[in-house]
Amino acid sequence: MRKGELTLMSSGTKTNKSLIVLMINMFIAMLGIGLVIPILPKLLEDFNAGGTAAGYLIAASGLTQFLFSPLAGEWSDKYGRKRMIVLGLVLFTLSQFLFAIAGVMWLLYVSRFLGGIGAAMMVPAMMAYVADSTTEDTRGKGLGMLGAAMSLGFVIGPGIGGFLADLGLRAPFYISALVAAIATVLSFFMLKETLSEERLQAARQSQQKRESIVKQLITSVKAPYFIYLILVFTLTFGLVNFEAVFSLFVDNKYGYTTKEISVMITVGALVGVVVQGALINKLLHRFGENKLINVSFLISAIMMVLMLLSGNFWYNMVLILIFFTFTSIMRPAINTVLSKMAGSEEQGFVMGMNNAYMSLGNIFGPALAGILFDVHVNLPYSFGAIVLVLSLVLSLSWGKRITGRNKQKLEAISNEG
């Protein structure tokens, strides 16, 4: 067994301590991102701020995560996975503490920027740590468990934020900072570096330069799967557009409490995760990727419009359950198409671009939603529905184009025969 190898036994009787520490770290990072959502309406009242500030605050961490992820990935090769993980946790701890004590608006932004940099340091390094220290047989399970911790943290973050707010509006962030600090100490003492000193030295001395993210984005425009990357962007845009101002929307329009907001988001997102984990393979085999993508865009857009019509709690709970269910179906369906179109040689590039376009959606979605909210409370969901409908039109037209090409190929083969 190599240094640091994770002993993920097929029987499930033993899981390496390092993987448990990594899962805790991932859970804490994703948890901290979602804590702020249900608290925003009351928090922003203290700063006399509105939707624009809310959107920018949520987009801020996405921006720095997008900008720093390529650099952080390179640093993890040169200076080690453990250092990047610990550094990321330190920045995340500082981010949560700053958010808790902030008395001026600019400090909230500094906090979110630092949180995004911390996530950029942690997430690629943790994935690389698992890849370094597992065999081909156990790698899928290790990455799957890390992904589950990521999803769980993101899903229950708003719920925990809402319930901890009963202790005080800043309490969730003090507690999050304390937990992150403990995770930092645990990681420092319990994680072992997976890369040898020789490999680190070789990486530092390497003259090979990676393409900038801008060049990679330009290259992706020319790819045959570019349309599906656009759909990744619009899906993320629509989803984050929905989540970013949801608490402000239902607070201003329907007078929902912080706890009601937390329950709705948490239950809706949990149902989405369950559907994604338990049913997605059956649905893909039964209906195919493109049909699922098209139906999901249509239903998600309809749910956004219906949100504008009534303030009844259970009515909106049902709408949210349906919305999260279909957006959860849509993402793996698009990812599957991308993977099939990429072929074996471009898998790494395509998944990197997938993450880049998703990050762009995480930046522009909340920023624009916040601006539109300050113009009119209904505008973010009206505009979000339009974006999803246009995505449906794009998907349908592209699907017809692909079908036409395939039909021509079959006819040409038939004529040759």
Side-chain angles (χ1 to χ4, degrees):
M1 186 180 293
R2 342 191 264 281
K3 179 184 178 182
E5 185 170 315
L6 303 181
T7 54
L8 293 170
M9 312 298 279
S10 59
S11 62
T13 57
K14 183 179 178 182
T15 303
N16 188 275
K17 290 180 181 179
S18 296
L19 180 59
I20 294 174
V21 173
L22 293 177
M23 290 173 66
I24 292 171
N25 292 345
M26 185 70 83
F27 175 79
I28 290 169
M30 295 301 108
L31 186 76
I33 291 171
L35 281 176
V36 71
I37 293 174
I39 302 169
L40 270 179
K42 304 301 180 187
L43 182 69
L44 291 177
E45 285 179 6
D46 295 344
F47 296 90
N48 295 316
T52 300
Y56 287 164
L57 277 174
I58 294 172
S61 59
L63 174 62
T64 49
Q65 186 172 358
F66 172 73
L67 293 175
F68 279 84
S69 285
L71 182 62
E74 188 172 339
W75 283 355
S76 77
D77 289 338
K78 290 183 176 180
Y79 304 106
R81 318 303 191 201
K82 178 179 175 178
R83 287 180 183 175
M84 289 299 104
I85 293 169
V86 172
L87 178 59
L89 282 167
V90 169
L91 291 175
F92 183 78
T93 302
L94 180 59
S95 164
Q96 296 300 91
F97 181 71
L98 283 178
F99 208 95
I101 65 170
V104 289
M105 199 68 195
W106 66 264
L107 202 53
L108 293 180
Y109 285 112
V110 171
S111 163
R112 297 294 286 182
F113 284 136
L114 284 175
I117 297 172
M121 297 291 182
M122 276 190 286
V123 175
M126 283 191 276
M127 291 183 172
Y129 193 108
V130 174
D132 290 342
S133 51
T134 52
T135 64
E136 288 188 8
D137 292 336
T138 60
R139 187 163 303 151
K141 186 175 180 180
L143 290 173
M145 293 173 73
L146 201 60
M150 177 187 290
S151 298
L152 185 62
F154 190 76
V155 163
I156 72 171
I160 291 178
F163 284 101
L164 288 178
D166 286 344
L167 303 175
L169 205 56
R170 307 297 182 104
F173 305 102
Y174 281 116
I175 293 170
S176 177
L178 175 62
V179 172
I182 294 170
T184 304
V185 175
L186 285 175
S187 298
F188 183 81
F189 288 106
M190 294 185 67
L191 291 180
K192 305 296 182 184
E193 179 56 53
T194 58
L195 300 180
S196 66
E197 190 57 39
E198 291 78 10
R199 187 171 166 184
L200 291 172
Q201 287 288 349
R204 289 172 203 161
Q205 294 169 5
S206 174
Q207 300 300 314
Q208 185 177 356
K209 296 289 183 182
R210 296 186 183 183
E211 277 192 331
S212 69
I213 188 66
V214 175
K215 286 185 179 179
Q216 291 182 42
L217 287 170
I218 292 171
T219 301
S220 72
V221 173
K222 304 170 186 176
Y225 42 77
F226 173 64
I227 294 300
Y228 289 98
L229 290 173
I230 292 295
L231 295 182
V232 168
F233 169 78
T234 56
L235 164 63
T236 306
F237 182 98
L239 180 59
V240 182
N241 178 92
F242 181 94
E243 292 179 336
V245 295
F246 175 78
S247 56
L248 294 172
F249 174 79
V250 294
D251 175 66
N252 279 262
K253 188 164 184 174
Y254 302 132
Y256 284 12
T257 65
T258 299
K259 195 165 288 186
E260 285 175 329
I261 295 168
S262 301
V263 168
M264 293 180 81
I265 294 176
T266 304
V267 172
L270 274 173
V271 169
V273 170
V274 170
V275 169
Q276 192 178 75
L279 299 178
I280 190 62
N281 283 335
K282 293 178 182 178
L283 291 171
L284 287 171
H285 285 112
R286 175 73 175 81
F287 299 104
E289 293 89 359
N290 286 311
K291 188 174 289 186
L292 284 179
I293 291 169
N294 296 336
V295 170
S296 297
F297 271 124
L298 176 61
I299 293 178
S300 300
I302 292 171
M303 293 306 105
M304 276 194 158
V305 174
L306 292 179
M307 281 284 298
L308 307 176
L309 305 182
S310 172
N312 180 272
F313 177 84
W314 293 109
Y315 167 84
N316 282 306
M317 175 64 85
V318 171
L319 295 184
I320 286 172
L321 288 174
I322 295 171
F323 180 84
F324 277 110
T325 295
F326 280 92
T327 51
S328 296
I329 290 170
M330 203 188 319
R331 191 178 297 283
I334 296 174
N335 290 346
T336 302
V337 175
L338 278 169
S339 182
K340 287 180 178 179
M341 294 186 71
S344 59
E345 295 181 358
E346 290 190 64
Q347 288 295 323
F349 175 75
V350 167
M351 290 304 108
M353 286 297 94
N354 187 337
N355 186 64
Y357 279 82
M358 187 167 59
S359 297
L360 290 173
N362 283 328
I363 295 167
F364 291 107
L368 187 55
I371 294 170
L372 292 175
F373 181 86
D374 281 346
V375 176
H376 192 281
V377 67
N378 289 343
L379 269 181
Y381 290 139
S382 302
F383 183 75
I386 291 170
V387 169
L388 294 178
V389 169
L390 290 175
S391 301
L392 170 63
V393 173
L394 182 63
S395 177
L396 286 170
S397 61
W398 185 255
K400 287 181 180 179
R401 186 175 174 184
I402 295 296
T403 302
R405 284 181 182 176
N406 291 338
K407 189 175 180 180
Q408 287 177 355
K409 286 180 181 179
L410 288 172
E411 288 176 352
I413 293 171
S414 177
N415 290 335
E416 287 177 4

